Amino acid sequence: QVQLVESGGGLVQPGGSLRLSCAASGFSLRSYAMTWYRQAPGKERELVAGITSAGGSTNYADSVKGRFTISRDNAKNTVYLQMNSLKPEDTAVYYCNAAHMFIDHNYWGQGTQVTVSS
């Protein structure tokens, strides 16, 4: 069964850190570009960070540059999002997405809630 499962979300105080994980099962992430998105209540889903299949290139939303880091471990079939200096406006459900480089295969995880509040 093809599946992406996010984990690592939770409640954290402003200025704190969290590390999200996105683990794939049923397929290999090696040929997939991976992207983290988030969706806050009442807002559209937005791109947070992306990484190419081999991890050689990354991109970030302006709002998270310098605070978030995306990485991947293809041997573990897992992608990570290290989030530092968290702000209340980072509160959202975070989703990971896998997009195949050459064929029309695109998968989403179920999301993990991140809440930044004192």
Side-chain angles (χ1 to χ4, degrees):
Q1 181 181 3
V2 171
Q3 203 172 9
L4 287 175
V5 178
E6 300 99 334
S7 61
L11 173 63
V12 63
Q13 291 187 343
S17 298
L18 283 174
R19 188 195 195 202
L20 305 184
S21 299
C22 172
S25 59
F27 71 106
S28 170
L29 289 180
R30 292 183 186 275
S31 297
Y32 289 77
M34 299 299 297
T35 307
W36 284 96
Y37 291 82
R38 67 186 180 187
Q39 187 165 20
K43 295 187 177 181
E44 293 186 353
R45 190 172 296 189
E46 63 173 355
L47 184 149
V48 176
I51 188 167
T52 52
S53 58
S57 180
T58 57
N59 64 287
Y60 298 91
D62 288 342
S63 58
V64 307
K65 281 181 182 177
R67 300 187 298 122
F68 290 12
T69 303
I70 187 171
S71 62
R72 65 191 298 158
D73 186 337
N74 285 342
K76 293 184 178 180
N77 227 22
T78 301
V79 176
Y80 305 97
L81 185 68
Q82 178 67 43
M83 305 187 296
N84 298 328
S85 303
L86 282 161
K87 305 174 181 180
E89 50 264 44
D90 295 318
T91 296
V93 178
Y94 284 70
Y95 300 89
C96 67
N97 173 267
H100 197 282
M101 293 190 298
F102 306 114
I103 57 178
D104 188 21
H105 284 182
N106 193 294
Y107 305 113
W108 288 90
Q110 84 290 348
T112 185
Q113 176 70 47
V114 171
T115 302
V116 184
S117 175
S118 55

